Amino acid sequence: MPSARARLWRRLGLLLSLLALAGAGLLAWQRHHAAATPGPITIGLLQALSGPVAAHEAPQVAAARLAVQEINEAGGLLGRRVELKIEDTRADPRVAAAAADRLITADRAVALFGCGAWGCRQAVLPVVEARGHLLFHAAVSEGFESSPHIVYTGPTPNQQALPALHWAMQQFGRRVYVLGTEGMYSRRLAVVLRDFIMLGGGQVLGERALAMGAADVGGVLADLARVRPDLVVSSVCGDGNRALFDGLVTDGLADLPVLSLCASEPEMAALQGGRLSRHFLAVAYLQSLPDPANQRFLERLRRSQGAAVGASDAGVATYAAVHLWAEAVREVGSERTDAVNATVVHQTFAAPYGFAAVDAQTRHLWRPLRIARVKVDGALEEVLALPRDVRPEPWPTFRSTQHWGAVLLRTEARP
């Protein structure tokens, strides 16, 4: 008969064996549970975090981060967190294309957002088309495009540039000087503006394009001083606006009426855009909108991203884009890119400027338009608001599609 000590050791051995089996079972369960529980849903943001348009695109980064934070605080999507991966495009199309491919293949991002610079959008377009993917583009657009793989939440010319130009010509005169930043966006927009001005009985006194971030604006200023236009319409973007505003003041041209199409509201204080006595922006969104929903948005943005962060038109368009994507994910019950892409064109979202609704035919948003004067302190003061949202027309309807097709061929053929 075994001794008491032997029986004790036998019992201890049995207990240790049971504990080992339980531990192995627990480890196996943990591994299975980890494999069965999906990780976060990843989306990608392509914006210039450095270079001459970084300050211009910073509000888009802040707004995207806020939108993702709001989604996660509300429980995420499909029981999962949303993770935002950000790539610095440096406003370089080649960098943007490589970053888009990396986000899709390596990071498994199910949707992409951003591409503020025109060249970046055009470089990323073939990437998302080849991979059957989805990009949300929130910056201003020159039109002439409606891809089944892009949702455009920024304005087309008929939603911003053309009605704003019509208003400005009525206010200040029809002798117009057209400025832009070198690139296809300004080149194509200049053609649209030129036709629109001439059909409206106006005269184009000159067209100039500045290099991205250019500091030398002497030639433009000399031209403006010589011809003294009634109105300057500008699609200059990023740091180039600093040199332009400084030069207009230094050369005694601060009284020229200027309509800026690409400058953002947060840039106005930083660039002292209010030194120009008749300086106007054309936007859907103003930080001063009195609607309580906008004030709550600004409070959340500054609490989340810092008290000094400003909201821009493109920033709000990015914020709306992320939430429109999230609404589509909820509706289809899946983050799959193809399913979301088929559903997102039927979504609406209560944006800080009002309801954002996708036009299913063009894949662009319906948008409001406000004309605002830049005050001395850089804040914007609304002077005109269109009574209803404007339907997007990527191909301007005041000319035939054949005409615009010829324009595309001409502009693409130029270096």
Side-chain angles (χ1 to χ4, degrees):
M1 182 174 182
S3 66
R5 177 175 293 181
R7 289 197 300 272
L8 176 62
W9 280 109
R10 190 179 298 125
R11 290 171 183 168
L12 286 174
L14 179 60
L15 178 60
L16 290 172
S17 298
L18 291 172
L19 288 173
L21 287 171
L26 177 62
L27 181 60
W29 178 87
Q30 288 175 333
R31 287 173 176 169
H32 172 76
H33 182 71
T37 303
I41 300 173
T42 301
I43 59 175
L45 182 66
L46 297 157
Q47 299 289 171
L49 307 180
S50 59
V53 297
H56 176 74
E57 296 191 22
Q60 294 171 250
V61 178
R65 284 174 168 155
L66 174 63
V68 170
Q69 178 181 318
E70 289 176 343
I71 292 166
N72 287 331
E73 288 177 349
L77 295 174
L78 313 178
R80 299 160 64 186
R81 289 183 64 259
V82 175
E83 182 179 3
L84 179 67
K85 288 189 175 291
I86 304 174
E87 291 275 358
D88 181 7
T89 68
R90 306 197 299 272
D92 184 323
R94 290 171 297 180
V95 173
D101 193 69
R102 186 163 55 249
L103 284 167
I104 295 169
T105 58
D107 296 313
R108 305 297 183 195
V110 297
L112 304 181
F113 300 80
C115 291
W118 180 92
C120 291
R121 186 189 87 225
Q122 287 298 297
V124 169
L125 175 58
V127 176
V128 296
E129 288 186 335
R131 297 194 176 279
H133 219 265
L134 178 61
L135 168 69
F136 291 80
H137 181 257
V140 293
S141 165
E142 75 289 353
F144 306 115
E145 182 180 292
S146 182
S147 168
H149 295 280
I150 300 182
V151 175
Y152 307 79
T153 60
T156 55
N158 81 294
Q159 294 176 305
Q160 183 219 24
L162 300 184
L165 177 56
H166 175 72
W167 171 85
M169 289 171 64
Q170 288 184 319
Q171 295 293 314
F172 305 113
R174 299 180 182 277
R175 301 168 61 255
V176 184
Y177 198 99
V178 179
L179 280 178
T181 297
E182 286 181 357
M184 194 68 76
Y185 164 74
S186 288
R187 187 184 302 168
R188 288 181 176 171
L189 181 63
V191 175
V192 175
L193 296 178
R194 186 192 316 132
D195 280 11
F196 186 81
I197 292 165
M198 295 174 64
L199 287 171
Q203 181 183 4
V204 179
L205 300 185
E207 293 180 25
R208 296 289 287 266
L210 303 174
M212 179 74 76
D216 182 9
V217 295
V220 168
L221 296 172
D223 221 17
L224 291 173
R226 178 178 60 82
V227 301
R228 295 296 299 197
D230 298 328
L231 170 68
V232 177
V233 57
S234 170
S235 59
V236 174
C237 184
D239 291 349
N241 276 312
R242 182 184 300 278
L244 177 62
F245 300 162
D246 287 347
L248 289 170
V249 172
T250 301
D251 285 26
L253 300 171
D255 61 331
L256 279 180
V258 176
L259 174 63
S260 288
L261 300 175
C262 292
S264 71
E265 183 172 1
E267 290 177 292
M268 288 302 96
L271 302 178
Q272 297 181 287
R275 292 174 297 165
L276 310 182
S277 60
R278 293 184 289 179
H279 188 190
F280 301 86
L281 268 61
V283 293
Y285 172 77
L286 296 170
Q287 294 182 118
S288 59
L289 291 177
D291 191 295
N294 176 50
Q295 297 308 310
R296 290 193 295 270
F297 162 74
L298 288 173
E299 289 170 7
R300 292 194 303 270
L301 179 69
R302 289 162 181 164
R303 187 168 59 247
S304 168
Q305 302 299 311
V309 171
S312 70
D313 190 278
V316 169
T318 302
Y319 175 80
V322 176
H323 277 291
L324 287 166
W325 165 80
E327 289 294 330
V329 171
R330 294 187 188 101
E331 180 170 324
V332 299
S334 170
E335 80 281 12
R336 280 179 42 204
T337 302
D338 57 346
V340 170
N341 193 19
T343 304
V344 72
V345 293
H346 305 296
Q347 302 303 316
T348 61
F349 172 69
Y353 58 67
F355 273 101
V358 183
D359 179 69
Q361 182 177 349
T362 64
R363 299 179 63 89
H364 291 66
L365 289 192
W366 288 66
R367 287 174 54 96
L369 176 65
R370 297 174 171 91
I371 309 296
R373 183 179 68 87
V374 185
K375 299 194 293 185
V376 174
D377 62 356
L380 298 188
E381 176 183 43
E382 183 181 295
V383 297
L384 175 72
L386 296 190
R388 61 185 61 87
D389 287 2
V390 183
R391 186 181 187 275
E393 295 174 356
W395 296 79
T397 56
F398 66 87
R399 293 281 200 190
S400 68
T401 54
Q402 291 85 354
H403 172 85
W404 297 126
V407 167
L408 290 182
L409 290 175
R410 290 202 310 273
T411 53
E412 288 173 357
R414 290 174 54 186

